[in-house]
Amino acid sequence: MLSEKLIQAIAEIPDFPKPGISFKDITPILASPTLSAELVDNMAAWAAPLKPDFIVGIESRGFMLGFALAQKLGVGFIPVRKPGKLPREVYSEDYDLEYGSATVQIHKEDLKPGCRVIIHDDLLATGGTAEAAIKLCTKANVNVVGVHFIIELAFLNGRNLLPAGTNILSEVIY
Ligand code: AMP
């Protein structure tokens, strides 16, 4: 099964980047041409019926497979980035982290009002990042028809921060 292969490939690093965090490293998936291809195929089988116009990938680990998914579906890719990276006019959204806060941005003119998007990131933890990305899309008046993660840390209840009824696929749940 794909999820079992992914779990075997994902490297778990205790106490990185700080004590108490078990970091899930997806780079071994990217390093495997067969496993990453199987994953993108699975993502595309879920995503295609949702008929997205764009895949929105969250910086930075949402870029690689988000772009691969967009290519597979024949749709465009739009990055959500940290402040100061996108050169044209942006929508911004601030959100809380465990300590402090963060901001994500998206180019205003790239999202056409009424279009359909799927948001992709490597991992759903507390949900703050994905919630902020959804809010950016809402500001742009686009429809979030799905949200995809490779990994969901279910014990952190991040899903509860996302709007009720959001179509979510997590390939691996810890
Ligand atoms: P959150 O906003 O709490 O849902 O955090 C999600 C973001 O933080 C994702 O972009 C992940 O890349 C990163 N992240 C949070 N926790 C972990 C973890 N245990 N291992 C790897 N990445 C993580």
Side-chain angles (χ1 to χ4, degrees), residues 10 34 39 41 48 69 73 78 82-83 86 90 92 120 128 130 140-141 143 152 155-156 170:
I10 293 162
T34 50
L39 173 55
D41 284 348
L69 174 63
L73 295 176
I78 296 176
K82 292 166 186 153
L86 294 172
V90 293
S92 280
H120 165 76
N141 287 311
N143 301 319
E152 176 175 350
F155 56 91
L156 293 174
S170 304

Side-chain angles (χ1 to χ4, degrees), residues 21-24 61 95 121-129 153:
I21 305 287
S22 170
F23 190 86
K24 308 288 185 287
R61 290 187 295 269
Y95 62 102
D121 200 3
D122 67 325
L123 187 143
L124 175 66
T126 64
T129 310
L153 304 183

Side-chain angles (χ1 to χ4, degrees), residues 40-41 43-55 66-76 118:
V40 173
D41 284 348
M43 291 163 70
W46 168 78
L50 302 174
K51 302 199 180 313
D53 299 301
F54 294 98
I55 305 301
F67 184 70
L69 174 63
Q71 289 277 296
K72 183 103 195 161
L73 295 176
V75 303
I118 288 177

Side-chain angles (χ1 to χ4, degrees), residues 6 9-10 25-37 39 64-65:
L6 292 172
I10 293 162
D25 174 20
I26 60 151
T27 59
I29 300 172
L30 305 176
S32 164
T34 50
L35 183 56
S36 57
L39 173 55
M64 293 82 94
L65 292 176

